[in-house]
Amino acid sequence: MVDAAGEWAEPSLAGSFGTGGKQSAEIRLGVGDVVQVTVFESQSGGLFVPVDAGSRPGNYVTFPPQSIDHRGQINVPYAGTLKVAGRQVSEIQRDIEARLKNRAIEPQAVVSIVSQVASEVAVMGDVNSSGKLPVNAAGDRLLDVISKAGGIKYPGYETLVTLQRKGRKATVPFDLLVKEPRENIYVAPGDVVYVSRDQATFLAYGATGRNGKFDFAAEKLSLAEAVSRAEGLLDDRADPRSVFLYRLEGRRALEAYGIDLARFGAKAQRIPTIYRLNLRAAPGFFLAQNFGMKDKDVIYISNSDATELLKFLYVIRAVPDTANAFISPSTVIVN
């Protein structure tokens, strides 16, 4: 039962976007990218290499780098204007070769990316060096681009990673990327990776040494540790038999307990739940040590029956005093 407590369907990047399938990223050129074209001929005396080119290091010519214009085009001498935006380098090379095959001697084209602007990933938020990073053709995973952005600023257990892609987004804890390799998916051009800090906290009320909001300040926190952080139970007030924990519990955990959840509807995945723990019995201490806290849990320590009785007696005793306090020489009582 303790193992089931707190379990609900965690968000999944692999479930939302897939794992990426292949390692190599599909790099397509876009407006603003800078490319350089080199054309090789099989022998001199062709279109680009003169007959007297004996002193040349090879039968090729390299054209100056050029930026893809707002129409997504570049110009290649004798091949004309080519539409390159949205296309892969291999497609463009074949296109150039096809346009030159009747003019050059067995032309071979090589297109190099000098500056990559269109195929970038934006990494921002709580990283040490946010900005846009070019997507590596060999394939970059989420942890790769976060590392290139200088890494995270805060501990992994306090950090969330949000991936936005084509109008969809999903958020997972940073530690999940480390523990579950399947979640460390490949990024794609145009992705936005947002890293944010999310400190796990809990609230403690009632007969504890200190009431208020507390940070976990650790990757994992047990109920026993949380009660200790709130300075324990007050000896003269607390009822050790009535330690309550309020939580939005995962549906799977409650189903494991055999609880009928029909009244909450099939779509409800997190159900308002109250756990009661008896710390007067020895098993309660072992249970508290193994019961994991979740973010936004609320602990309430009930007052003992004796404390409630004393409060009641105090109220009864205070009633005559309160009535007398309103009677003064200037007060007129009408019978």
Side-chain angles (χ1 to χ4, degrees):
M1 292 292 192
V2 173
D3 292 336
E7 292 296 327
W8 58 71
E10 294 281 3
S12 169
L13 295 179
S16 299
F17 303 104
T19 58
K22 51 188 178 181
Q23 290 188 4
S24 57
E26 188 180 71
I27 305 298
R28 295 183 179 272
L29 297 177
V31 175
D33 286 346
V34 178
V35 297
Q36 189 170 47
V37 178
T38 299
V39 178
F40 293 80
E41 292 189 273
S42 61
Q43 63 184 47
S44 59
L47 179 64
F48 299 106
V49 183
V51 177
D52 57 347
S55 61
R56 292 171 59 91
N59 297 325
Y60 67 88
V61 60
T62 299
F63 301 109
Q66 57 182 308
S67 177
I68 300 174
D69 64 23
H70 66 283
R71 294 169 297 179
Q73 299 176 338
I74 62 171
N75 290 296
V76 178
Y78 301 105
T81 301
L82 286 79
K83 181 76 173 180
V84 297
R87 303 174 68 188
Q88 293 180 289
V89 167
S90 57
E91 297 177 68
I92 301 166
Q93 291 175 166
R94 289 194 296 269
D95 193 0
I96 295 172
E97 291 167 1
R99 294 191 181 202
L100 295 175
K101 68 178 182 178
N102 294 326
R103 310 188 68 176
I105 302 174
E106 298 180 1
Q108 298 287 321
V110 175
V111 177
S112 304
I113 302 175
V114 177
S115 176
Q116 188 177 322
V117 176
S119 299
E120 292 181 321
V121 173
V123 184
M124 60 186 70
D126 290 323
V127 291
N128 288 301
S129 181
S130 60
K132 287 189 172 184
L133 302 170
V135 177
N136 189 336
D140 282 325
R141 293 182 181 268
L142 272 170
L143 290 179
D144 295 328
V145 296
I146 292 174
S147 175
K148 290 178 181 179
I152 58 177
K153 289 183 179 180
Y154 302 104
Y157 58 79
E158 293 183 355
T159 301
L160 297 177
V161 178
T162 299
L163 175 64
Q164 297 182 16
R165 177 182 296 172
K166 296 181 180 179
R168 294 184 298 156
K169 72 175 182 178
T171 302
V172 298
F174 177 83
D175 282 352
L176 186 64
L177 301 180
V178 178
K179 296 176 182 176
E180 297 290 342
R182 182 172 179 270
E183 291 298 316
N184 185 28
I185 66 174
Y186 287 100
V187 296
D191 282 356
V192 176
V193 180
Y194 183 75
V195 179
S196 59
R197 188 183 190 188
D198 182 33
Q199 289 181 293
T201 61
F202 69 92
L203 300 175
Y205 295 113
T208 61
R210 197 168 127 223
N211 286 186
K213 182 178 180 181
F214 301 87
D215 295 333
F216 275 33
E219 182 178 356
K220 295 181 179 179
L221 188 72
S222 69
L223 177 57
E225 292 169 327
V227 171
S228 174
R229 191 158 295 176
E231 298 185 3
L233 281 62
L234 294 176
D235 292 338
D236 57 345
R237 283 182 50 195
D239 181 0
R241 298 169 303 177
S242 299
V243 176
F244 297 95
L245 184 135
Y246 298 77
R247 166 185 295 171
L248 288 174
E249 187 59 278
R251 189 181 191 93
R252 287 188 303 175
L254 298 178
E255 288 174 343
Y257 297 158
I259 299 174
D260 182 9
L261 304 176
R263 65 183 183 277
F264 294 99
K267 292 184 178 180
Q269 294 301 312
R270 299 180 69 180
I271 312 296
T273 306
I274 302 174
Y275 292 94
R276 181 175 179 176
L277 191 67
N278 181 5
L279 292 183
R280 181 163 287 178
F285 286 94
F286 294 102
L287 181 62
Q289 288 178 339
N290 292 295
F291 194 99
M293 294 288 291
K294 293 290 184 181
D295 188 25
K296 305 301 184 292
D297 278 354
V298 178
I299 297 173
Y300 176 74
I301 311 297
S302 179
N303 288 326
S304 65
D305 294 339
T307 300
E308 297 298 336
L309 176 61
L310 288 175
K311 288 169 65 177
F312 174 74
L313 294 176
Y314 175 80
V315 171
I316 294 299
R317 187 183 66 180
V319 169
D321 295 338
T322 303
N324 292 333
F326 284 95
I327 300 175
S328 67
S330 60
T331 303
V332 177
I333 301 176
V334 180
N335 293 321

